[in-house]
Amino acid sequence: MICDGSVPRSRDEAQHIVTVPSLKQGTAAAKAPAAQAANAGRANAEGSALVGVYRKVMPNRLRRVVAARYSPETRRKIKQSIGATGVTRVPGRVRGASLATLRRSLVSGSGALVVTVAGRPRIAFVDDTLSPETTRRAGLGAVTAALEAAGIDYFCVRNQERGATTVAVAAADRARAFTALQELCRTLPAYFGPRGPESKRIVPAYQPANWRRFGRARSLRLFWYRTDPGQRVVLGPEHGCDIEFWAREGDELTAPRRNSITESVPVDGPSVQVPATVFTAPWGTRTQTSMTVRTRPEFTTTLPRDISFPVDVVYTWVDGSDPAWLRRRSQYSGSDYHSEAANAARYANHDELRYSLRSLATYAPWVRNIYLVTDDQTPEWLDTSQPGIKVVSHREIFADQNWLPTFNSHAIESQLHRIDGLAEHFLYFNDDVFLGREMAPGGFFLANGLTQFFPSPALVPLGPPSSDDVPVSIAGKNNRALIQARFGTTPVQKMRHVPHALSRSILSEIEDEFSEQHRATAGQRFRSPADIAIPSSLYHYYAFHTGRALASDLEYVYIDVSLPNAGNRLDRLLLSRDRDVFCLNDTLSTEEDFDSSTLLLRPFLESYFPVPSRFERPV
């Protein structure tokens, strides 16, 4: 490829036991749904406790012997077999919390069920729009509603940990607040999350006796486990709601810990009502909600580090199996249609775009608009009537219509800054690039408008372009020659396969600065030895040398799905979910390999991103 609310459940349904392997960042993956026949009921090969024990006790020397004797796929099947022996077994009692106790804690119609997280049964609520933002909103809504119903004054605080929300209550109201929140937790079973030295582990907040340990705590965290309807992801304490008890000192209420704005506020200071998303989606969201919360004016101020400008996303996409597109390509390539169709495997479509869009909807709700640049093609599942997405034809952006049709990704990328209505700051995605966890716009931009780029350890070979170079190296060498001539430095690093943070005006400036090479690239229907790669490389070096970009880093992994160890690497990624961004590329597969790579990728992507975005047509 060019590249709100819980679902009501009956009491019988609430008794259902779902085992979900524990994940970092408070998330968890479970078995694939029945629709994914190839992987239905199959355990994550890396998720078994027995496999974990094996990794700890087996000497590295013996593990290397096993690795040398058995193929990656064979080892993966063995791990799946080991994991399957315990994947659906739930201990009858874990640290004093029996299943019977949990079941008695479930309230009819609450949408709750029991899942297993890190080997422990936990009560979770089903959310068909599950995301970090909806999880924060549900928790904040529950806490503030309980306080308001009890007549307890509060105000939301802009904290330093933007993954959670914070509600401040006067220390004098601690007892009343405890009573209101205990009643809430009996109705909607919650947990105390790790929150500093006062609480080291997760304990049930629906058990009144556990509240005694927080009798003098200056803050505590309440959270509710939430899961998608397929129970493949569980979100928990990292998106909880902190309740702080602010002590009165004279005419001021003083914070028990640092926040992002102020150490104190006037006792009798004014309050304002603001949309809840100010705190649950601090970088912005397209979610429509009428929920409001109370805060102090101090916590609505804009800081110098806040990114207030809009950020858009641009994808380039092609359906390489489209007969009409293949005929156009064969007409200009000089090959017959059947030859082009046989080579279409390099454009193999595993529905990556669908899941990349899901990653944006789940982990970057602050994106304003998404533009999909295509050769008059639209995925059949894409709902283009939804606000916030637009399909853009090549004809709308190319400066010279005589250059069309084009089958050169470098040429298409050279024209992206011409998209009508595109924000000054945008991210360029290939459809095989995904956000792996919640990201803030500050991961790609600075508040003053500078962009960030992410150099790769991989190097562009020294010397001029040669016939032995792959296309990416040829374009990299051409980029290097321009930077050498203009700035006197020699770029040698490639860039990671991540979202590229770009400035529209700088791209336009590059078109003027290197007009001859820019025009030559835009005019090539197929990749050429004279091509330059603009948004993925040249832009970053040019913007850096002109003081408008800086090198940065993020947690990232690149997985070539054509390699034998791809299955094991995908299993580990699904289990850990510890990468900001990941790229799933296929560099070697042939047309004959398409089915096997599909059986590998589709279940992984459906398990990692189970919640459809609003851009998908209803099934």
Side-chain angles (χ1 to χ4, degrees), residues 255-268:
R257 57 180 181 162
R258 289 182 178 176
N259 58 62
S260 295
I261 303 293
T262 181
E263 295 179 350
S264 64
V265 296
V267 171
D268 298 322

Side-chain angles (χ1 to χ4, degrees), residues 89-150:
R89 294 175 60 86
V90 180
R93 190 172 190 84
V94 179
R95 294 202 174 189
S98 68
L99 293 180
T101 300
L102 289 179
R103 288 175 176 144
R104 286 195 298 270
S105 300
L106 299 177
V107 178
S108 179
S110 67
L113 68 158
V114 177
V115 300
T116 298
V117 179
R120 297 173 174 83
R122 304 294 193 192
I123 297 172
F125 294 85
V126 177
D127 184 350
D128 59 2
T129 61
L130 184 71
S131 73
E133 193 277 321
T134 61
T135 300
R136 284 193 292 267
R137 182 157 27 106
L140 180 63
V143 168
T144 56
L147 294 174
E148 288 175 1

Side-chain angles (χ1 to χ4, degrees), residues 29 45 117 122 149 176 201 242 296 312 349 415 444 472 509 526 532 565:
V117 179
R122 304 294 193 192
R176 295 171 59 217
R201 60 187 180 90
D242 293 346
R296 295 294 186 95
D312 290 342
N349 179 14
Q415 306 294 299
F444 303 101
V472 66
E509 186 178 316
F526 297 91
I532 54 176
N565 66 342

